[in-house]
Amino acid sequence: MQHYDVVVVGGGIAGVSIAHELAADRSVCVLEAERELAAHTTGRSAATWVAGYGPPVVQELTLASRAFFDDPPLDVPGPLAVPLPCLYVGTAETADAAALADGVVAATGGSAVTPEEAERLAPVLRPGAVTCAVLDPTAAELDVHGLHQGYVRGLRSRGGVVRRSAALVAARRAGGSWHLTTAEEELTADVVVNAAGAWADQVGALLGSRGHGLEPRRRSVFVSPTTAAVDGLPFTCDLAGGWYVKAEGDAVLCSPEDASPHEPGDPRADELEIARAMEAINDVTTLGLRSVRTTWAGLRTFAPHGEPVAAWDADADGLFWLAGLGGYGIQIAPALATRSAAAVRGVG
């Protein structure tokens, strides 16, 4: 029976990032239930770094992670972050548009721009449709696959082990160690890190925890063809959070920014939400979206307080939680992994 200092449950960005950090001075094994890593939320990210995204603690972690993306200390094939300015736009129908714009400026350090300047930055905006706008020039597009695989390579180079198709089926704490059972093997560990995403509360229950009341919520994404020129288009978002658009080759990648509760699993994109978003986007732009090339959905898992859960369990000895990242997991991964690993070591 193999013993590890730390077993991490979950092979998404949360799991592999903290596993990589801990493997610097611990023996680490990652257990992934699926045949492939990053099969769920991590692999379905819209791949952006936006300073003003999420509550204050997320914004702070986002800013703290930026230096890592700009100069990654990982074996990656290319840059992890490519500049992609974010343009927030509001219309005459946007409730509290001025207050929303002020909030974005405060959160991002961006600046308000005139409707005419917004139309110059994003020529696909319908003339006269935008009444207020904010530009965040610090936003970026992220290479999610490169980041995830960089962490996996780094983990393995430090002696870490990854087990796929290794769902945790039983666990008990005895003699100061965790005794864990998967479909293929039994192993022991001093510490278990629960980084199981939408399944984290279920995994927590196996480990004797009362859980954190985590709620997975569906986020739909779709790609639509367009005849408009979108090369150089900024990441364009509804100021009120009803949709976003970014260039995707000769098409645009869009989302209705939906967040409906959903059981852990593989959700299908919400067709009604997609239809609503297409109509709203067409009202504000000249993209002329009429059809959908492809759709997908992922689960963004939230704790009741809306902030990531990165803490020792209150009841189960030797259980550390890294869950409830709320869809912000990619852009906060470097800073959150470093701080969480320090907490597991007992030095922070």
Side-chain angles (χ1 to χ4, degrees):
M1 185 181 296
Q2 182 68 48
H3 179 82
Y4 297 94
D5 295 325
V6 182
V7 165
V8 179
V9 182
I13 193 62
V16 299
S17 58
I18 191 173
H20 168 265
E21 295 295 334
L22 289 169
D25 55 7
R26 301 286 193 277
S27 60
V28 180
C29 176
V30 173
L31 300 180
E32 168 55 49
E34 304 295 345
R35 295 177 60 185
E36 300 295 334
L37 300 179
H40 297 290
T41 300
T42 297
R44 304 173 189 184
S45 168
T48 52
W49 185 98
V50 182
Y53 195 31
V57 65
V58 168
Q59 294 175 17
E60 191 274 326
L61 287 165
T62 298
L63 292 171
S65 296
R66 184 58 188 260
F68 182 104
F69 288 118
D70 288 337
D71 186 17
L74 296 174
D75 175 17
V76 293
L80 291 181
V82 176
L84 179 65
C86 183
L87 181 66
Y88 298 83
V89 298
T91 69
E93 287 74 39
T94 303
D96 301 319
L100 290 172
D102 289 343
V104 170
V105 170
T108 66
S111 58
V113 297
T114 65
E116 293 75 20
E117 179 66 6
E119 292 172 15
R120 186 190 69 78
L121 292 165
V124 300
L125 290 174
R126 191 176 298 281
V130 170
T131 57
C132 65
V134 174
L135 178 67
D136 173 12
T138 69
E141 186 166 27
L142 300 179
D143 180 357
V144 176
H145 180 74
L147 175 68
H148 183 271
Q149 289 303 300
Y151 273 126
V152 173
R153 281 191 293 271
L155 167 64
R156 287 175 169 152
S157 72
R158 291 175 170 179
V161 175
V162 177
R163 297 278 192 260
R164 307 182 190 205
S165 300
L168 186 66
V169 296
R172 62 185 178 89
R173 184 81 173 174
S177 295
W178 284 105
H179 296 250
L180 309 171
T181 303
T182 73
E184 299 294 332
E185 64 178 330
E186 294 186 357
L187 58 159
T188 61
D190 298 327
V191 171
V192 171
V193 175
N194 183 0
W199 289 264
D201 268 346
Q202 295 179 6
V203 169
L206 279 176
L207 296 160
S209 172
R210 289 178 292 180
H212 286 272
L214 301 176
E215 182 179 70
R217 301 177 191 170
R218 174 173 54 191
R219 169 60 55 90
S220 303
V221 180
F222 63 100
V223 174
S224 285
T226 178
T227 57
V230 294
D231 186 46
L233 180 71
F235 183 48
T236 305
C237 309
D238 174 26
L239 196 57
W243 51 267
Y244 66 68
V245 173
K246 73 173 184 174
E248 184 89 349
D250 64 346
V252 285
L253 183 149
C254 315
S255 173
E257 298 197 60
D258 50 331
S260 56
H262 196 285
E263 290 297 313
D266 287 317
R268 298 182 62 180
D270 188 323
E271 295 182 1
L272 291 178
E273 284 293 313
I274 287 175
R276 177 193 63 76
M278 289 180 70
E279 181 177 1
I281 292 167
N282 284 335
D283 284 344
V284 181
T285 73
T286 58
L287 289 168
L289 306 184
R290 296 289 180 267
S291 63
V292 173
R293 183 175 292 172
T294 185
T295 68
W296 67 89
L299 294 179
R300 304 156 75 246
T301 302
F302 292 81
H305 49 59
E307 298 179 355
V309 178
W312 291 103
D313 192 84
D315 303 308
D317 186 39
L319 172 59
F320 189 87
W321 286 74
L322 188 58
L325 306 190
Y328 318 116
I330 304 299
Q331 66 178 37
I332 67 175
L336 183 61
T338 300
R339 297 179 190 184
S340 297
V344 170
R345 293 187 183 101
V347 296

